[in-house]
Amino acid sequence: MDVRIRPIRPEDKALLSWGLANLSEASVQRRFLSPKPCFTVGELRYLTEVDGHDHVALIAEDESGSLLAVGRFVRLAEDAAAAELAIAVADPFQGRGVGTLLGQRLADEAARQGVHRFTATMLSENRAAHALMAKLAGRLERRLSGRGTSEVSANLAA
């Protein structure tokens, strides 16, 4: 399968809405930590109208332009060398390396932008997300934060 990764664009609002509507309940729970039936207009603006420096978002597509995954990092206001990472992979493509490819591309871009650490709040049972963070990290720290979630911090590998 050919995977094309590109920056998100403002005109991707409908694509993101479609992607959320086609995620399973379990995938939505893993990504948003709660039910998320749809995006608001404001959320779609936030998710697609990014500055490419403090907020970087990428889309993975197949050769036909079908959405495979979306990933982003948002620089932390209190620490310019750190950013929160989030990735969602369409159910049929989970476990096929798309998330890893997107995560690596985001880590490369983060390094170019002066970000050296990714953070994420994730379900403690989300093994795939924990494994992805470990792949990206030179060093990984995990801390249980309650209600079945973990705070994860990954110093990006050089």
Side-chain angles (χ1 to χ4, degrees):
M1 165 179 55
D2 258 350
V3 176
R4 185 180 92 162
I5 297 178
R6 64 167 177 84
I8 203 161
R9 300 183 295 247
E11 56 268 23
D12 288 324
K13 290 174 179 66
L15 186 63
L16 252 55
S17 291
W18 178 89
L20 177 61
N22 285 283
L23 280 177
S24 67
E25 279 185 37
S27 291
V28 170
Q29 182 71 24
R30 283 190 300 269
R31 168 57 183 89
F32 297 102
L33 307 178
S34 65
K36 183 82 177 148
C38 64
F39 293 121
T40 67
V41 170
E43 287 170 332
L44 285 170
R45 188 173 27 257
Y46 172 77
L47 294 170
T48 60
E49 298 176 21
V50 302
D51 66 12
H53 177 72
D54 292 330
H55 186 171
V56 173
L58 302 175
I59 286 183
E61 306 173 308
D62 67 11
E63 54 278 351
S64 71
S66 294
L67 180 65
L68 307 178
V70 178
R72 70 187 61 248
F73 68 81
V74 179
R75 193 183 304 262
L76 301 180
E78 65 275 9
D79 182 357
E84 185 171 1
L85 175 70
I87 296 174
V89 179
D91 290 275
F93 301 98
Q94 292 175 10
R96 297 175 62 185
V98 176
T100 299
L101 182 63
L102 193 55
Q104 198 58 61
R105 191 70 61 87
L106 285 163
D108 292 344
E109 183 60 27
R112 280 192 287 282
Q113 301 288 351
V115 171
H116 306 292
R117 187 172 67 261
F118 280 155
T119 65
T121 301
M122 58 184 72
L123 293 175
S124 299
E125 65 193 35
N126 189 345
R127 290 186 208 141
H130 285 271
L132 174 58
M133 288 290 274
K135 284 178 189 175
L136 299 176
R139 195 182 79 192
L140 186 66
E141 297 175 13
R142 291 185 186 110
R143 183 176 54 83
L144 294 177
S145 57
R147 296 187 319 233
T149 62
S150 297
E151 299 290 330
V152 180
S153 178
N155 289 330
L156 300 177

